[in-house]
Amino acid sequence: MFDHWLGKLTIHVIPYDNPIIMSAAAFMALVILLVLGALTFYGKWTWLWKGWLTSLDHKKIGSMYVILAMVMLLRGFVDAAMMRTQQAMAAGADPGYLPPHHFDQIFSAHGTIMIVFMAMPFLTGLINVVVPQQIGARDVAFPFMNAVSLWLTVAGAALILLSLVVGTFSRAGWTGYPPYSELQYNPGVGVDYWILPLVISGVGTTMTGINFIVTILRKRAPGMTLMRMPLFTWSALCTSVLMVLAFPALTVVTVLLGLDRYAGMHFFTNGQGGNMMNYANLFWIWGHPEVYILILPAFGVFSEVIATFSGKRLFGYRMMVYAVAVIALLSFTVWLHHFFTMGAGANVNAVFGIATMLIAIPTGVKVFHWLFTMYRGRIRFTAPMLFSVGFIPLFAIGGMTGVVLAEPPADFMMHNSEFLVAHFHNMLIPGALFGYLAGYMYWFPKAFGFTLNDRWGKIAFWNWLIGFLLAFMPLYMLGFMGMPRRMEHYGNPAWQPYLVVAAVGAVFIGFGILSLIVQLVVSIRARQKNRDLSGDPWNGRTLEWATASPPPPYNFAVLPVVTDVDAFAAMKQAGTAWQRPARYEAIVLPRNSGLAFVMGGLAFACGFAVIWHIWWAATATALGALAAVITRAWRDEQEYTLSAAEVQRLGDARFADLENALAAAVGQSETTGNQPVPQV
Amino acid sequence: MEAMELTADTAAEQLETDADRAFGFWIYLMSDAVIFALLFATYAVMSRNYADGPSGHALFDLGHTFAETLLLLCSSIAYGFVSLAAARGRRAQALLWLGVAFALGLGFVLMELAEFNAMIAQGAGPDRSGFLSAFFTLVGTHGTHVSFGLIWILVMMAQVAVKGLTASVRSRLLRLGLFWHFLDIMWIGIFSIVYLPGVLQ
C-alpha cells in the first residue's frame, strides 16, 4: 500500500547504471557536503541564516541571484561541452559516447538552464544590486516579495538539478513543442521536470517585474525625473514591463501543456480537437520578449561601462532612452518569425518579417551611440570595458544574420539549422552574457567592497572571445551546408572538421570560465589590498558610486538631490559629493524574514510532488504555502528602526574610510589620474 | 513634540507605502489580465473543435449562467458597500457587507461547480474535446480566482474583526476590492465570448 504514497517514485528512477550521470551526481553531492562541512567547521550557520537566507536587503538578494546564475552557468556549460564533444566525434560509423535519449536531455537542459536559470537570475541579480542605488532609493518597493521571487527561482533551479539524479529530464528541447512533449510520446516525468520549474520560477519573475516597475516609478530620489534616470535603470524598467506582460504567456502555455499531460485535456494533442500550432504562438509570445528581457539589461550595462571608462557623458542620452523603449515595444510584434515555416501565409509572414527587420534600427542607433561615446574619450581598457568593446562587432554580426533570418524565404532554407543555433548564440553570448560579465566585474566592488583582479578578468575576456568565435562561426557555415540542429549523430563526413573546431572553441570557453573562477579566488585572497575605500573605484558617473562599498543597509543616510543625468559626476564637479550630513536621522528598514525561504522550500516540495504524482504531498505543501501567505498578510509590523545614533556611527566610519582613501590618493602619482580624489 | 513629528512622518510613510502597494497591485492585475487574454484567445481558436463531441449550444443553459452572473455582480455591489463602510470607519457594517459579498460569491462558485459536475456526468468533461478543454480551463481559471478571493474575504473578515479598520486593514480592503471587481469584468468577458455565442449558434 505504501507504493501509492510515493506516486510514480521508486528506487529505480535513479540511473545507477549511467556512469556519466552518477559521476555528476557524486560531484554535486561532494560540493554540497563540502559547503555544509565548511559552514559547520567555521560555525557560519547563524551568519548564513541571519545575514543571507532571511535577508530582505536588495543588495544581498541580488548577490544571491548572481551566485545562483554562476552555479547554473557551470552546469549549462558542462552540458554544452558534452554536446560539442559528441558532435565532434559522432560522424559516420562512430556513434560517439552519448546515446540519443541522453543527448536529447542534454540539449533540452542546456537551453532551459542557460536562458531561464542562468541569464534570468544574472540580470535580476544585477538589477537588484544596482537599480535602487542608481535611483537614490533606500530599498525596493516590496522587499519581502523580492525575497519570495528569489527563492521561487532557486526552487525551480533546484528541481532541474534534481532531475539529473532522480528521474530524467525532458527530451523535447528547451521549447518543449507538442505533440512530441505530450503524454502520448513522452509518458515519463521528463517533460514534467521541464514544466514545473518554468511555472514556479515564472511566477517569481512576474513578481520581480512588478517590484521593479513600482520601485523605479515611485522610489526615485528628489530631482530624478524620468529623463534623468541612468540608462541601466531605463533598461531595467523596460525589462520589468516585459517581464510583467510576457511571463504570464509562459505560465499559460506551460500550464496548458501540463493540463494535457495531467488531466487528459486536448489543447495541443494530435486529434480530439487539439491545436499544436497554438502552442507555438503562445510559447513565442513569451519567448520573443524574453530575448529582449535578457538583452536590454546588458545594453544598460554597456551604456554605463562605456560612459564611465571613456570618461564621458553617454552620447545622445535621449535617443538611447527612446531606442530602449522602442525595442521593448517592438519585441511584442515579432513572435511569429520563430515559426515562419508553420504556414501562416505569405502576407502574415511578410508583416512579421518587416517588423523584425525594424528592430535593427533602434539597435543600430544604440551601437552607433556607444561608438560615439568612446570617440575622443579617455578610454581605460579595464576588463569590463573589454567585454563591452568586444561585444560591439560580434553583436553587429549577430544582428546582420538576424536580418537574414527575418526574411521568410531565407528562413525557409535556414530554419532549424545550425545557422539558427549560431545566430542566437551570437546574440546571447556577446549580447547578453558579455554584458552580465561586464556588469559583474564593474559592480562587484560595490557589492563586496573590493575590486576584482583585472588581469584575470582580461584573460577571461580573451578566452571567451576566441572561444565564442571558434565555437559559433563554424556553425554558420554548417548551417549553409545544410546541417540541422540537435543532431546526436550524422552521416556527412564533410561536417566533422567544422564541429571539431567548434569543440576547440568550447575548450577556450571552458578556460574563460576557469579564469573567472581564478579571478574570484585571487581577488578574495587579495581583498584587503584591493579594498574600495572611496566607494567609487572607477570614477563613476551615477548615484550608486556615491554610497560606501559595500553600502549600509539603507544605502543613503541622506537622500541625494539629483540635478543631472550623470548625477554623481555632476556632484563631483560641483564639489558637493561626499558631504558630511549636518545631522543623521533614524531610518526604517525591513525586518528579516525566514518566510520567503520557507515558501521557496514549499514550492520546491510541491513541484517535486506534482512531478511524481504524490498528490497528498502536493496538497499539503500547497496548503502550507497558502498558510504562509496568510501569516505574512496578518502581520502589520514588518519593519524595524535603525536609530539615528547607529546611522551616525556607520556614517562616521564611512567618512573615516573616505579620509583614508584621500590619503592613499595623495600618495599616488598623477598618472593614475582616473582615481577620483574625495574631498572630505 | 518630536514624538508627534515622528507619528506624522510614520503616517505619511504609511500612506506612501499603501499607494505603492495599490500601484503594484494594479500592475499585478494587468499581468493577470494577460493570462485571461491568452485564455480567451485560446478559447476563440478552439471554440469549434468539438471532435464530434457536444457543442456549446447543446451544453449551455443561459438561465443558469444568468443566475450566476447576478450572484457575482451582486457580490460586487455588496463589496462596494464594504468600501463605503470602511471609509466611514463603521466596523460592524463592513463586516456585515463582507459576509454578504462572501455568501453571494460562494453561491457563484457552487453554481459553477454544479454546472461542471453536470457536464462531466453527461460525458462532456475537459478531456472530451479541444473545445471543452478550453472551456473548462478558461471558466475554471476564473472560478479559481473567485475561490481565492473568497479565502481572502474570510481573512479580511477576521482582520476587521480582530484588528479593526486600521490603516493597513483599510488598504488591504482596497486591494481586495480591486481584485473582486476585476473578476467581474473577466466574467462579463466570459459571458459575452463563451456563453452567449455558444447559445446563439
Side-chain angles (χ1 to χ4, degrees):
Chain A
M1 71 168 284
F2 290 104
D3 288 353
H4 288 293
W5 287 31
L6 288 177
K8 287 156 78 175
L9 194 62
T10 63
I11 197 74
H12 306 294
V13 301
I14 299 174
Y16 291 111
D17 50 336
N18 188 321
I20 299 174
I21 292 180
M22 279 302 108
S23 40
F27 177 74
M28 288 202 299
L30 185 72
V31 171
I32 292 172
L33 281 178
L34 275 178
V35 171
L36 295 184
L39 282 169
T40 312
F41 183 77
Y42 293 108
K44 289 283 189 185
W45 280 103
T46 326
W47 165 82
L48 182 72
W49 180 252
K50 289 199 168 152
W52 290 89
L53 302 186
T54 62
S55 173
L56 301 191
D57 183 335
H58 66 91
K59 281 122 8 213
K60 293 201 168 157
I61 289 175
S63 302
M64 287 189 278
Y65 264 118
V66 175
I67 292 168
L68 172 69
M70 295 282 188
V71 171
M72 298 312 277
L73 175 67
L74 274 181
R75 163 69 203 274
F77 170 73
V78 172
D79 288 340
M82 287 172 81
M83 285 188 283
R84 282 283 134 260
T85 316
Q86 170 72 13
Q87 286 197 329
M89 290 162 69
D94 191 338
Y97 70 109
L98 289 173
H101 69 92
H102 192 178
F103 185 80
D104 296 356
Q105 286 181 51
I106 291 175
F107 70 64
S108 307
H110 171 76
T112 310
I113 285 176
M114 283 304 204
I115 290 176
V116 182
F117 295 103
M118 188 284 287
M120 289 301 293
F122 213 144
L123 72 92
T124 311
L126 291 177
I127 289 175
N128 256 294
V129 172
V130 177
V131 163
Q133 299 189 67
Q134 258 191 351
I135 60 173
R138 287 192 175 138
D139 207 336
V140 296
F142 310 116
F144 178 74
M145 196 167 84
N146 203 15
V148 175
S149 298
L150 166 71
W151 292 113
L152 289 181
T153 310
V154 173
L159 276 176
I160 285 211
L161 290 182
L162 192 67
S163 75
L164 186 67
V165 187
V166 184
T168 57
F169 192 65
S170 170
R171 287 176 281 131
W174 82 274
T175 49
Y177 274 1
Y180 184 60
S181 54
E182 292 282 0
L183 214 52
Q184 191 182 353
Y185 305 101
N186 259 297
V189 293
V191 178
D192 304 327
Y193 258 125
W194 176 80
I195 291 176
L196 267 297
L198 288 185
V199 173
I200 292 171
S201 69
V203 173
T205 304
T206 308
M207 293 197 290
T208 299
I210 295 174
N211 211 338
F212 279 92
I213 293 177
V214 178
T215 303
I216 294 173
L217 290 183
R218 291 188 52 91
K219 308 274 282 182
R220 297 192 307 278
M224 183 172 280
T225 56
L226 284 178
M227 286 317 257
R228 281 182 192 156
M229 293 197 318
L231 224 75
F232 183 71
T233 300
W234 261 110
S235 66
L237 177 63
C238 291
T239 283
S240 304
V241 172
L242 295 185
M243 283 175 179
V244 169
L245 296 181
F247 262 81
L250 178 68
T251 308
V252 166
V253 74
T254 45
V255 167
L256 295 189
L257 182 64
L259 287 172
D260 275 5
R261 292 177 58 84
Y262 282 91
M265 294 199 192
H266 296 286
F267 282 105
F268 313 122
T269 51
N270 277 335
Q272 296 292 323
N275 183 342
M276 61 204 75
M277 291 180 193
N278 193 32
Y279 181 96
N281 271 298
L282 291 174
F283 184 85
W284 289 109
I285 285 175
W286 163 74
H288 199 85
E290 165 68 5
V291 177
Y292 290 95
I293 291 173
L294 302 180
I295 274 186
L296 290 184
F299 283 0
V301 174
F302 293 133
S303 303
E304 305 292 337
V305 167
I306 288 177
T308 299
F309 291 114
S310 302
K312 272 178 71 188
R313 177 187 281 267
L314 188 72
F315 184 90
Y317 168 83
R318 273 177 176 275
M319 264 324 200
M320 288 297 249
V321 172
Y322 292 140
V324 171
V326 167
I327 293 173
L329 196 72
L330 287 178
S331 75
F332 278 104
T333 65
V334 299
W335 78 88
L336 193 128
H337 70 210
H338 294 270
F339 45 95
F340 278 145
T341 53
M342 194 169 87
N347 289 338
V348 174
N349 280 359
V351 166
F352 280 90
I354 291 167
T356 306
M357 291 179 217
L358 283 180
I359 292 191
I361 297 171
T363 318
V365 166
K366 296 191 79 70
V367 168
F368 280 108
H369 281 55
W370 287 316
L371 292 175
F372 289 141
T373 304
M374 284 187 273
Y375 178 64
R376 305 194 79 177
R378 286 196 172 188
I379 300 178
R380 285 172 282 164
F381 282 106
T382 56
M385 188 63 177
L386 281 186
F387 275 104
S388 309
V389 174
F391 143 83
I392 292 177
L394 296 184
F395 192 73
I397 298 173
M400 283 185 283
T401 58
V403 174
V404 172
L405 281 171
E407 294 168 54
D411 183 76
F412 269 67
M413 304 301 293
M414 283 172 301
H415 183 83
N416 216 37
S417 74
E418 290 289 351
F419 187 91
L420 172 78
V421 175
H423 162 69
F424 70 69
H425 283 89
N426 201 161
M427 301 316 268
L428 289 178
I429 293 178
L433 190 64
F434 278 19
Y436 306 155
L437 291 175
Y440 157 74
M441 292 176 195
Y442 182 61
W443 284 306
F444 186 91
K446 184 45 65 185
F448 292 100
F450 58 96
T451 48
L452 284 172
N453 184 300
D454 202 50
R455 206 170 81 87
W456 278 104
K458 285 176 177 163
I459 295 174
F461 165 73
W462 287 110
N463 276 301
W464 271 100
L465 181 84
I466 296 168
F468 165 76
L469 287 169
L470 286 177
F472 293 102
M473 292 303 131
L475 299 195
Y476 278 125
M477 296 179 228
L478 284 168
F480 283 132
M481 293 162 75
M483 181 177 174
R485 70 197 287 204
R486 295 174 175 165
M487 293 202 85
E488 182 264 342
H489 174 264
Y490 49 91
N492 186 346
W495 295 343
Q496 196 171 23
Y498 296 89
L499 289 162
V500 172
V501 175
V504 174
V507 173
F508 274 91
I509 291 180
F511 280 125
I513 290 178
L514 199 65
S515 313
L516 289 175
I517 296 171
V518 173
Q519 180 194 36
L520 190 61
V521 173
V522 167
S523 311
I524 290 176
R525 293 180 58 156
R527 63 187 178 281
Q528 291 305 337
K529 197 173 123 247
N530 296 323
R531 266 194 74 192
D532 170 27
L533 292 172
S534 68
D536 180 23
W538 319 115
N539 196 4
R541 312 183 65 78
T542 39
L543 276 181
E544 75 269 31
W545 304 111
T547 59
S549 292
Y554 45 82
N555 299 344
F556 300 91
V558 177
L559 290 185
V561 177
V562 177
T563 55
D564 190 85
V565 176
D566 290 347
F568 189 51
M571 286 177 191
K572 284 190 279 193
Q573 208 157 25
T576 54
W578 299 295
Q579 271 179 340
R580 198 185 278 267
R583 72 185 256 266
Y584 289 95
E585 283 173 1
I587 293 173
V588 178
L589 288 166
R591 208 177 280 165
N592 275 14
S593 167
L595 212 53
F597 184 78
V598 171
M599 285 179 186
L602 287 169
F604 172 81
C606 188
F608 185 78
V610 172
I611 288 167
W612 291 99
H613 296 235
I614 311 172
W615 298 117
W616 64 267
T619 315
T621 46
L623 287 177
L626 184 66
V629 172
I630 293 175
T631 311
R632 180 72 190 179
W634 196 271
R635 287 171 47 180
D636 286 323
E637 285 296 312
Q638 293 160 348
E639 286 93 17
Y640 72 100
T641 307
L642 206 62
S643 70
E646 180 62 13
V647 178
Q648 167 122 38
R649 193 184 66 75
L650 289 169
D652 287 345
R654 156 80 170 143
F655 279 94
D657 276 347
L658 271 175
E659 272 159 26
N660 287 337
L662 173 67
V666 169
Q668 284 169 2
S669 71
E670 276 293 301
T671 49
T672 54
N674 280 315
Q675 282 290 333
V677 181
Q679 284 134 14
V680 183
Chain B
M1 186 66 200
E2 202 176 340
M4 267 180 69
E5 258 178 37
L6 204 66
T7 349
D9 269 10
T10 326
E13 259 169 39
Q14 176 74 38
L15 275 180
E16 188 80 358
T17 317
D18 289 345
D20 286 352
R21 286 179 180 157
F23 180 46
F25 198 77
W26 271 109
I27 298 172
Y28 152 70
L29 287 182
M30 293 307 101
S31 101
D32 216 13
V34 173
I35 290 188
F36 276 105
L38 294 170
L39 291 177
F40 274 118
T42 301
Y43 179 82
V45 167
M46 307 189 82
S47 57
R48 301 286 172 100
N49 296 7
Y50 304 129
D52 296 331
S55 69
H57 189 70
L59 291 168
F60 299 155
D61 171 5
L62 209 52
H64 186 95
T65 314
F66 180 65
E68 274 181 281
T69 309
L70 276 186
L71 282 174
L72 195 67
L73 296 191
C74 290
S75 174
S76 228
I77 295 173
Y79 201 91
F81 287 113
V82 174
S83 304
L84 287 178
R88 291 175 187 157
R90 293 182 186 159
R91 184 172 175 177
Q93 223 175 44
L95 268 177
L96 176 74
W97 283 112
L98 274 169
V100 174
F102 178 84
L104 292 168
L106 185 66
F108 169 85
V109 171
L110 291 177
M111 280 194 79
E112 185 163 279
L113 284 177
E115 183 194 19
F116 282 7
N117 266 331
M119 284 171 72
I120 292 169
Q122 53 175 297
D127 53 352
R128 178 63 192 83
S129 67
F131 154 67
L132 283 165
S133 301
F135 167 81
F136 274 92
T137 305
L138 172 59
V139 181
T141 302
H142 177 267
T144 313
H145 275 74
V146 176
S147 308
F148 276 104
L150 291 177
I151 297 175
W152 194 356
I153 292 181
L154 283 182
V155 171
M156 288 319 298
M157 285 174 79
Q159 291 205 357
V160 172
V162 175
K163 295 170 192 262
L165 290 168
T166 63
S168 48
V169 168
R170 279 207 308 272
S171 96
R172 283 171 200 152
L173 284 175
L174 170 85
R175 294 193 290 278
L176 173 55
L178 290 177
F179 186 68
W180 207 236
H181 300 314
F182 169 79
L183 292 179
D184 273 5
I185 299 174
M186 292 304 123
W187 180 256
I188 302 295
I190 290 176
F191 187 84
S192 337
I193 292 174
V194 176
Y195 287 101
L196 266 186
V199 173
L200 292 178
Q201 263 163 22

